[in-house]
Amino acid sequence: MSPGDIDAQTRQAMENMKAALEAAGASFRNVVHMDTFYADPRLSDKMIAVRSSYFGPDNPYTTTGVQVAGFGRPGMLVEMDAIAVLDDGAQE
């Protein structure tokens, strides 16, 4: 973690998410919703810019942003989670 660096923390969170998605056979194209928790609303534009760079324009998803008073680690500014939907190959 890069204490106090919202760009680096957001990029690391997204890279961690990318690895988890790939391990499940998915990608950011499968993400349908993200929750983002951030400690400083003045930095949200920077966080959104980094997060958005992982999604293409044809990859709509919903997002919820929540300002929090802080995290358990000093210098931590952002935490994210996502819901991804995988195609199980079943046909109706």
Side-chain angles (χ1 to χ4, degrees), residues 1-2 5-17 28 34 36-38 43-54 77-80:
M1 181 185 74
S2 302
D5 185 339
I6 192 75
D7 292 330
Q9 288 183 31
T10 302
R11 192 161 312 286
Q12 185 61 58
M14 296 301 290
E15 288 297 319
N16 293 349
M17 191 174 301
F28 284 106
M34 286 191 69
T36 305
F37 304 89
Y38 52 89
L43 302 175
S44 64
D45 287 344
K46 290 182 177 185
M47 178 270 303
I48 290 168
V50 173
R51 182 186 68 198
S52 297
S53 72
Y54 284 79
L77 298 172
V78 64
E79 183 173 322
M80 300 176 169

Side-chain angles (χ1 to χ4, degrees), residues 26-89:
S27 71
F28 284 106
R29 291 186 58 77
N30 298 96
V31 172
V32 296
H33 181 79
M34 286 191 69
D35 291 318
T36 305
F37 304 89
Y38 52 89
D40 188 342
R42 296 170 296 179
L43 302 175
S44 64
D45 287 344
K46 290 182 177 185
M47 178 270 303
I48 290 168
V50 173
R51 182 186 68 198
S52 297
S53 72
Y54 284 79
F55 294 91
D58 61 340
N59 183 204
Y61 64 99
T62 61
T63 184
T64 300
V66 180
Q67 181 183 349
V68 297
F71 295 99
R73 284 179 83 172
M76 189 170 171
L77 298 172
V78 64
E79 183 173 322
M80 300 176 169
D81 64 41
I83 298 171
V85 176
L86 301 179
D87 182 6
D88 66 3

